[in-house]
Amino acid sequence: MSEHDDAQVAQASLRKAVEQLSADGAGEGGEAVREAVREAVQALSDGSERQWTPEQETQIRAMVEQIRKVRDLNRPGAGWWRRRREWRARERLVDLMMTGGPALLNEAELRHWKSHAMVELLLEFAGSAMKKDDTTKALARMETLHAATYEDLQQAKKMLAERKAAAG
C-alpha cells in the first residue's frame, strides 16, 4: 500500500468517526461511535509507525509514556514525594533520550501532542449535539492534526511563546 493510499484510508476513517459523532444517537448507539473513533485513532497512529524499525517503535512508545508521566507529575502544589517522583521520571526520560537520539525524541513528542490534541478535539465535539457545520469543522481539524509534522509543532510553540512574551 502506498503512502497516498494510507492517507486516503486515514481520511475515510476520520470522516466516518466525525459522521458517527454527529449522529443523534439513533441506530447502533454508543458502540458504533466508539468503533468509529477507534478506527480514526488507529488510522492516525498507522501513518507514522511505518518508517520506524520495531526497536525504534519500542523506544518511541517508551518516550511517549515517560513524557506523559513527567507532565502528569509536574503540577502546581505538588508535595515532596511527587516532586521526587517527577525528578526520577525526568531522569528516565533523559536516559531514553540519550539512547534514542533526537529523531526518536521528536517523533515521541509529536505523537504525544497529536494524541493529546485528538482527545481534546473528540471531547469538545462529542460532548454536545453537533450540527453539520460542527461536523465539517471537526473533520477539518482532524485532517489538519493528522497532517501535522514536528516542524509544524515547533513553529506553533514558537508563535505561542512570542505572543506570551508580547503580552507579558
Side-chain angles (χ1 to χ4, degrees), residues 79-96:
W80 182 82
W81 283 106
R82 178 168 290 169
R83 285 192 308 268
R84 185 172 176 177
R85 288 176 55 210
E86 178 190 354
W87 179 70
R88 287 182 179 165
R90 284 184 189 277
E91 283 183 335
R92 285 190 296 272
L93 180 59
V94 168
D95 290 342
L96 288 170

Side-chain angles (χ1 to χ4, degrees), residues 64-82:
V64 169
E65 186 58 34
Q66 262 331 105
I67 291 170
R68 284 185 183 135
K69 283 181 184 177
V70 168
R71 291 192 179 164
D72 181 52
L73 292 170
N74 185 13
R75 288 184 271 176
W80 182 82
W81 283 106
R82 178 168 290 169

Side-chain angles (χ1 to χ4, degrees), residues 12-28:
S13 295
L14 290 173
R15 286 185 194 286
K16 183 178 175 186
V18 172
E19 288 168 3
Q20 290 292 328
L21 286 173
S22 66
D24 59 354
E28 296 104 26

